[in-house]
Amino acid sequence: MDTEDARDATKIRERGNDLYRKGKLGEAVKAYEKAASLAPSDPSPLSNLSAANFEAGKYSECVDFATKALSLLKDDANAAVARQRLLIRQAKAYLHLSRLEEAVKLFDQLNPTKEKEDLSNLCNGSKEFATFSAQLASSREAILQLPRLRPSIQDEPDYFGPGHDEAKSLYTPELEKSAGDDPVLSIMLCGCGDARHFFQTLLRYSSRKKGAQKLCATLLDHKPAVIARDLIFFSLLEKATIDEESKEITLLSLSYLYCTQIIPPFVWEQLQETINDLVRKLEKKQQPLTSAWLLMSQMGMVVQQLKTWQKGPATEYKTSLIRRVVTESLPDRVAYPDCEADLQAFDDFSVMFPPSAVLSRFEPALSALIIGYQHGNKRTRKRISDYLDKHWKVNPTLIDVKWQARQQPGDVPTMEVDPSGIVKALTGNSSKLDTPNRKSMYCVLKHAGLFFEKVGLAMLSLKDRLMIEMIIGDMTEVLERLRHGKMVRPQQETDSEGRKPSDWPQKYHIIHMSNIPDYIGGPLMSFLYAPPLLREGFGTGLMSCVLRNPRAWLSLDHINAEYLLMYDRAMIQNHFSVRLANDAIFNASLPMRMGMPYSCMIGNYQRWERCRNELSSLEGLMPRATLSKWLFAHFLKLCLPFPRALDEDPTDENDLGLVFAPFNMTLFIRLLVQMAELGYPGHWLSNVIISICGGEITTTARAPRQHVLDPVAVDKVYTCRTVNVKPWTAEFTTLVAQWRALLPFAVVVRSGILPSPENIAEYSVNFPMYPTRDPLNVPHFMLVFWNHLKYGEPPKELYRLLLDDEKGDTTTSARKIRADGIKILSTFKWLSDEGTVTFWLRSDVVDLMVREDWYIYIWRTDSWLRYSVGLPLKNHLSQKKTWEECVTSV
């Protein structure tokens, strides 16, 4: 090597050092490679390449370059420091590659220094989990059973029978073009509700798609009542296609059950006949329909629900009561074109009358009364009302007895249903009738019947090309199970008649979420769970809308800022592998209504297409400091949601209580997994974990300072500050230890930081239910463990006490309590029927709290006020099993 090359190599290496310090690792590597080519006998550029590749998370390359640099080092005292540094870096790289044995082998070459001692401690920390890491499959199943959201104390989900948004076909011209050659078109409808979007999809698909392609639909809802109700609809549709003689009455009965609160006797008889047939087949473990499949393990839940619509509380509501409730809460009606008579009758009697020919056939007495009513005989109104109260019945499929049992005594089921509006939203332009006398002809149900006739014919025309999978379950759990191959599907079962369907899809062209994200964490939850299951292509994607809290948002960027803490579309694409396909969601030029663009008001669906990230380096991702700020901001948002109002008022455009903060701490672990899979270096993520485990984070992020974050709030960089997070470390270290075997990066921490699997246990505590007027059906609760012996009664409100920043309580007493007086748990299950809290936690912490006479409380995270009384742990805590036992038994 001549002198000039050496000088050039030194200059280039120094430029590489400058780029390295600026975080431009790709450019730094190129500079070091150039320097190494100019000075092949110099170990320094190779050492730099080792360091740059380590920082970029390329640990194998780091080891290789370190080995080459070590081979060029002279065996003298001057090279000792460089040798030690290279060996330490090489050993750490081995640890991040989960190659523990190679790291340990380097120990004999290391001098006895503090660095060697620290490295030994890191190796011991990895050894503690080495044997457990082999149980990946059973660990996954155990993790899947952990709750993903904070629980609601009123833990029976709401039941929504009829939907509200306009039914739209998911089979668009774009999807038809891009998926036309696929053997199966696969769609998933989460929160499938009354199946309106599926019905419209069937109509368009059957009219457009010929040939051998199959349509496979997964209909998913967490309410057995929804699946049972849809099963009744499908059964009636199937009957209408095979029994021409009864077709008109079958379709009319279906229309009544679909959209009305009160049904005539002939519809009640059709309903009971249908339920009897379904129950008979399901109890024999037979698939009840030609095209629809249920899991045999869930058939019992459906049977139980169907039977509640035959006898019991759902069938005992008096018609007069429900008619009065409908009258008092009568929604703004939507006049179906040319059906003015229906609107007037609903205003007067809260019912929909059937066509006159059907009425005279089944109820001639009522038919005569209605003729008089139509001719203006006012005396007939009272007689009609009396007749209805005596003979007509409440539609029981609008009632979920489990949900109703959790309401206040005397509460009646929600019946704010506008039949005309439902039919109009369902049918769109799919039904046309000749209505010459719109003031006297009852035709809304005829429109619905005509629509359902077309749907039935569509199902019949598809025959074996149509497969409907019906699942009862939580959307996020089902999506995660599908991703990891842990979802039981009907193809794994053969019914009692020997029927077995073809394979169900593992990926979907469309995943339709309705407005479920309103309740479970917006686009953050959607983007974490759905994209891995999406197919790529024009017209495909993840679809959702905002229905619950539209007044909270000024733009789509606003929504993303609140939930993702990220709003730049390119950044979202790089980090979640989705891009917005329809950008006309929020349009500031549209007319304003209630202070916001009209387009925001209701039901505008966003569709996000999956796209591949082809990032070859870290340059397309966040710099290390930015990533740390973003992750710590998420962590603080999970720990300290901004206080929310308890009294939600949907009519108040300034009330933001409808925007939930539902995540528990498992969300943060999933974020770390997402970042690792994108290519963020494992030691970056490990260091974030180490900081939180240590109980202090140094960051420019803060807990939210407003109810709904906007882009300005997300971008704000605060003064760097060390924030105490010790109240959450027991939960966090427990979760990291539970997840450790499944993480796509090695968690390199000192021995003793994380509990071993046998030192994590499941515990339960029984709480009495507490009467309150505050809402309990919100995911805003946590467990608080309080050092009662040392600090007495906890304060009424905990938010400022826990907030360790400029807005929080910075007194000495508050610091002491944060250090050793309070622990918070967000990941737990609540069973209201039993009044039982169940949670996993490291046993060393629990044992200490029991010895020191700590108390446990249920606390709110919206008002930040106490919900329950405190219970001494030593008297009320029961241990169930260890995490090791749980994983082994799965």
Side-chain angles (χ1 to χ4, degrees), residues 632-633 635-643 697 699 701-706 718 721-728 782 795 797-811 813-815 817-819 822 824 864:
F632 284 142
F635 181 80
L636 293 171
K637 191 170 185 283
L638 289 171
C639 296
L640 291 157
F642 192 79
I697 59 175
T699 181
R702 294 294 186 271
R705 294 189 173 180
Q706 58 198 59
Y718 293 89
R721 180 186 180 98
T722 299
V723 178
N724 184 305
V725 294
K726 287 183 179 178
W728 296 274
M782 64 181 181
E797 192 266 351
L798 284 179
Y799 180 72
R800 286 197 70 250
L801 175 69
L802 291 169
L803 189 62
D804 184 27
D805 65 16
E806 302 86 350
K807 299 289 185 178
D809 190 339
T810 58
T811 62
S813 61
R815 291 195 185 100
I817 291 172
R818 288 194 288 265
I822 186 171
I824 306 296
W864 284 92

Side-chain angles (χ1 to χ4, degrees), residues 15 184 691 735 740 750 800 850 857:
R15 184 169 76 248
V184 176
S691 295
L735 288 172
R740 189 171 186 175
R750 298 194 316 273
R800 286 197 70 250
V850 169
Y857 300 80

Side-chain angles (χ1 to χ4, degrees), residues 483-498:
R483 178 183 181 183
H484 296 292
K486 292 291 185 179
M487 183 70 198
V488 177
R489 311 293 290 272
Q491 88 251 21
Q492 296 170 285
E493 305 173 320
T494 302
D495 74 3
S496 61
E497 295 181 336

Side-chain angles (χ1 to χ4, degrees), residues 33-50:
E33 288 173 339
K34 179 66 174 175
S37 67
L38 293 173
S41 61
D42 185 358
S44 295
L46 295 171
S47 178
N48 292 138
L49 280 167
S50 172

Side-chain angles (χ1 to χ4, degrees), residues 625-819:
T626 306
L627 174 70
S628 295
K629 175 185 179 290
W630 184 74
L631 287 172
F632 284 142
H634 271 291
F635 181 80
L636 293 171
K637 191 170 185 283
L638 289 171
C639 296
L640 291 157
F642 192 79
R644 283 157 164 74
L646 287 179
D647 298 323
E648 302 172 352
D649 182 3
T651 65
D652 181 0
E653 61 189 87
N654 297 312
D655 183 5
L656 301 178
L658 294 171
V659 180
F660 286 164
F663 295 120
N664 63 26
M665 192 62 74
T666 63
L667 181 278
F668 192 77
I669 309 296
R670 289 183 167 89
L671 271 181
L672 293 175
V673 170
Q674 179 81 1
M675 296 306 105
E677 291 175 344
L678 288 172
Y680 280 106
H683 68 284
W684 291 17
L685 304 174
S686 262
N687 285 346
V688 168
I689 290 174
I690 290 168
S691 295
I692 297 173
C693 290
E696 290 185 339
I697 59 175
T698 300
T699 181
T700 57
R702 294 294 186 271
R705 294 189 173 180
Q706 58 198 59
H707 189 142
V708 176
L709 297 176
D710 54 30
V712 174
V714 166
D715 286 341
K716 187 171 179 61
V717 178
Y718 293 89
T719 303
C720 192
R721 180 186 180 98
T722 299
V723 178
N724 184 305
V725 294
K726 287 183 179 178
W728 296 274
T729 56
E731 176 184 20
F732 184 74
T733 53
T734 299
L735 288 172
V736 173
Q738 289 173 304
W739 238 280
R740 189 171 186 175
L742 299 173
L743 294 175
F745 62 97
V747 179
V748 182
V749 296
R750 298 194 316 273
S751 175
I753 296 294
L754 300 177
S756 58
E758 65 270 19
N759 291 321
I760 299 171
E762 186 180 29
Y763 300 92
S764 65
V765 176
N766 283 94
F767 280 89
M769 289 292 289
Y770 300 95
T772 177
R773 293 183 177 274
D774 295 333
L776 300 178
N777 61 335
V778 293
H780 292 154
F781 291 89
M782 64 181 181
L783 296 182
V784 172
F785 300 88
W786 182 263
N787 192 336
H788 199 272
L789 188 63
K790 187 171 184 178
Y791 295 107
E793 283 290 319
K796 180 181 178 182
E797 192 266 351
L798 284 179
Y799 180 72
R800 286 197 70 250
L801 175 69
L802 291 169
L803 189 62
D804 184 27
D805 65 16
E806 302 86 350
K807 299 289 185 178
D809 190 339
T810 58
T811 62
T812 301
S813 61
R815 291 195 185 100
K816 289 181 178 179
I817 291 172
R818 288 194 288 265

